Amino acid sequence: MERYWNEEIECASREEMKKLQDERLVAQVKHVYDNVEYYRRLMDEKGVKPEDIKGTEDLCKLPFISKADLREAYPFGLLAKPLKECVRIHSTSGTTGKRVVAFYTQHDIDIWEECVARAITAAGGTDDDICQVCYGFGLFTGGAGLNGGSHKAGCLTLPMSSGNTERQIQFMRDLGSTILCCTPSYAAYLGETLHEMGLSPDDTKLRIGIFGAEPWTEEMRRSIEKSLGIKAYDIYGLTEISGPGVAFECSEQSGMHINEDNFIAEIIDPETGEVLPDDTVGELVFTSITKEAFPLLRYRTRDLCVLTRKKCSCGRTFVKMAKPMGRSDDMMIIRGVNVFPSQIETVLIENGYSPNYIIEVDRLNNTDTLDISVEMRADQFSDKVKDMQMQERELANAIKTMLGINPKVHLVSPKSIARSEGKAVRVIDKRKLHD
């Protein structure tokens, strides 16, 4: 039987949700216009006043905001509440330019934790569960978000953070953890380590995994489920909007329900900014309608996905977003072909290889090159050069079939690619160094 954290909201009719969103959007636009000079200038430049926004149908009149705006306004330029009313900050893990800093009032944190509690409940979590949180703590939103949501859901919470993998497995076994929360790449590493310690999924009580913060494929989901003996659920969020819990998977697992009482989602054409209809691929845009301290209107996420309102068997009426198929700014154009790392990962897993890989893109003699280093499993390793070369050719052909371009594949020995305890870095684009 499907369980809900807040059934009244999660199963509200479209009419009820539209009315709630309209009211909250109108109030939020006024709050932002009155309190954030940066936004007021953007709206004035576009000739829009708060009274022009009467409901969600007027959302398209508002200007977009992007990560570039957040960096320009750093640190306090988008703050909509006095600093003394804020109780916490979080920051993105970006490595270039100024970091993005997001502010939270206690009200913002309460709403965020409720969103995560909904996600844990949708995955089957209850107050009988023991939830092991292996997302990083600190400025990253993962640890704090799942920790708070787990408390709210009534789980006994293990705030482990990431790293020290053998200790993670010891606590998991000694304390009987039933829910695991971490990045998918770290979940895969935990499963691998469990096996290397001579243990199997039967040696733990894990039953649920809640994974996010980086892209992962359906093939990787199945691999993790098998190695840990769990059901794996996706959770979506971004620091700029609040953190994990903006959207979550239910038992149907055909997309993630967006917490529409707090976030309005749109899909736009990334080139023109035109709003696209449901079931069309485009860039995901979010408007926060309950955030007090750092409320973003029409924030461009750069994530490419689809929204759908098809009826869900779980009973929730929230719109669903498909798993992002990549980011418009992560997409690589190699010899004129659009390439996403997830496409390469799919081929690797389908051909029995590990999801530990590094993609290197470079440019030699005005031609793009694509080199992929793939870690082998122990049973795939051979000391015969011919065997290795044949395996590399076969994998290169499979990737060429998927992408339409020829890569160079390098099979490397087990454990030779550094494991990630946070977000995995999969792509090194050296062309940027030459440009």
Side-chain angles (χ1 to χ4, degrees):
M1 182 180 164
E2 192 75 32
R3 293 180 66 256
Y4 310 98
W5 178 255
N6 186 337
E7 185 172 357
E8 185 183 352
I9 287 290
E10 293 175 60
C11 301
S13 70
R14 290 312 311 165
E15 294 73 27
E16 291 169 324
M17 186 54 65
K18 169 82 166 66
K19 184 171 182 291
L20 182 65
Q21 286 186 330
D22 287 347
E23 290 169 359
R24 288 180 171 179
L25 176 64
V26 168
Q28 186 73 297
V29 171
K30 187 174 189 319
H31 170 59
V32 167
Y33 190 85
D34 290 348
N35 293 289
V36 183
E37 184 184 341
Y38 192 97
Y39 256 119
R40 188 161 57 246
R41 177 172 56 77
L42 289 180
M43 286 177 63
D44 287 348
E45 283 172 2
K46 208 172 178 195
V48 189
K49 298 292 181 192
E51 52 269 27
D52 297 328
I53 310 301
K54 297 179 171 59
T56 53
E57 61 278 1
D58 296 320
L59 201 55
C60 59
K61 296 177 182 176
L62 293 169
F64 291 115
I65 196 159
S66 69
K67 191 166 275 192
D69 292 296
L70 273 59
R71 288 180 174 139
E72 187 181 328
Y74 173 91
F76 303 120
L78 289 168
L79 195 57
K81 282 280 186 181
L83 206 53
K84 68 177 182 180
E85 291 184 34
C86 300
V87 297
R88 195 192 298 171
I89 68 151
H90 281 286
S91 177
T92 59
S93 56
T95 53
T96 57
K98 291 177 184 170
R99 296 176 73 100
V100 170
V101 175
F103 297 83
Y104 300 73
T105 63
Q106 187 57 52
H107 170 78
D108 294 335
I109 288 171
D110 291 343
I111 285 178
W112 178 18
E113 291 179 351
E114 153 125 1
C115 288
V116 178
R118 293 177 191 176
I120 291 170
T121 305
T126 73
D127 55 8
D128 289 323
D129 278 294
I130 297 173
C131 184
Q132 186 159 334
V133 180
C134 311
Y135 285 106
F137 281 71
L139 289 172
F140 177 52
T141 54
L146 269 298
N147 187 69
S150 175
H151 286 182
K152 182 87 84 173
C155 303
L156 173 63
T157 309
L158 279 58
M160 299 290 292
S161 194
S162 58
N164 204 332
T165 302
E166 292 197 3
R167 187 183 67 182
Q168 298 274 7
I169 291 171
Q170 182 191 337
F171 268 67
M172 189 184 292
R173 297 181 69 210
D174 292 350
L175 293 167
S177 304
T178 52
I179 300 176
L180 174 66
C181 305
C182 60
T183 61
S185 55
Y186 193 55
Y189 185 37
L190 281 167
E192 191 179 304
T193 306
L194 191 75
H195 176 74
E196 285 171 0
M197 291 169 71
L199 302 171
S200 78
D202 293 338
D203 293 303
T204 80
K205 292 184 178 176
L206 285 182
R207 63 189 190 89
I208 294 167
I210 299 175
F211 307 133
E214 64 188 23
W216 54 308
T217 59
E218 285 302 311
E219 292 77 16
M220 191 168 181
R221 187 206 297 263
R222 301 291 165 245
S223 175
I224 292 169
E225 287 181 335
K226 185 178 176 185
S227 71
L228 291 172
I230 58 172
K231 187 82 173 157
Y233 292 83
D234 211 343
I235 190 168
Y236 176 90
L238 53 171
T239 303
E240 299 92 322
I241 300 299
S242 73
V246 172
F248 59 89
E249 273 191 325
C250 64
S251 55
E252 187 175 290
Q253 294 194 305
S254 61
M256 290 173 277
H257 289 286
I258 294 168
N259 282 302
E260 288 190 275
D261 53 325
N262 299 300
F263 314 103
I264 300 174
E266 303 171 272
I267 291 287
I268 63 164
D269 181 316
E271 299 298 324
T272 66
E274 176 197 357
V275 179
L276 301 173
D278 288 348
D279 303 302
T280 308
V281 177
E283 182 184 339
L284 185 59
V285 172
F286 277 117
T287 294
S288 300
I289 49 175
T290 53
K291 193 96 183 273
E292 291 182 335
F294 197 71
L296 300 187
L297 307 181
R298 302 198 86 199
Y299 179 69
R300 295 186 61 161
T301 67
R302 300 294 178 188
D303 283 329
L304 299 173
C305 73
V306 172
L307 295 179
T308 182
R309 296 188 184 275
K310 292 185 180 111
K311 191 172 179 181
C312 186
S313 61
C314 78
R316 290 176 181 81
T317 52
F318 288 157
V319 66
K320 278 200 287 197
M321 59 177 278
K323 183 189 281 286
M325 53 195 66
R327 291 170 59 84
S328 59
D329 54 358
D330 277 357
M331 182 182 78
M332 301 172 285
I333 300 177
I334 303 172
R335 296 175 220 157
V337 176
N338 295 348
V339 175
F340 290 100
S342 58
Q343 294 172 297
I344 293 169
E345 184 174 297
T346 296
V347 175
L348 298 184
I349 295 175
E350 281 178 348
N351 283 271
Y353 288 91
S354 154
N356 291 306
Y357 61 94
I358 297 288
I359 299 166
E360 288 192 33
V361 187
D362 206 341
R363 185 174 293 128
L364 296 173
N365 301 323
N366 297 317
T367 302
D368 293 336
T369 61
L370 174 60
D371 284 73
I372 306 165
S373 297
V374 182
E375 192 176 276
M376 289 176 294
R377 302 185 196 280
D379 60 346
Q380 293 168 323
F381 187 72
S382 170
D383 56 7
K384 292 182 181 172
V385 175
K386 267 190 175 178
D387 290 349
M388 297 286 287
Q389 288 174 339
M390 188 174 76
Q391 287 183 63
E392 287 175 342
R393 278 198 302 273
E394 287 173 353
L395 187 51
N397 286 336
I399 293 170
K400 183 186 176 185
T401 300
M402 165 69 85
L403 303 179
I405 55 176
N406 251 325
K408 272 189 184 170
V409 170
H410 311 276
L411 293 177
V412 299
S413 57
K415 296 282 184 185
S416 59
I417 292 178
R419 296 302 192 271
S420 169
E421 293 167 352
K423 289 191 181 188
V425 177
R426 301 288 189 206
V427 180
I428 301 167
D429 193 340
K430 294 179 177 175
R431 294 175 299 181
K432 293 171 184 171
L433 301 176
H434 311 323
D435 292 346

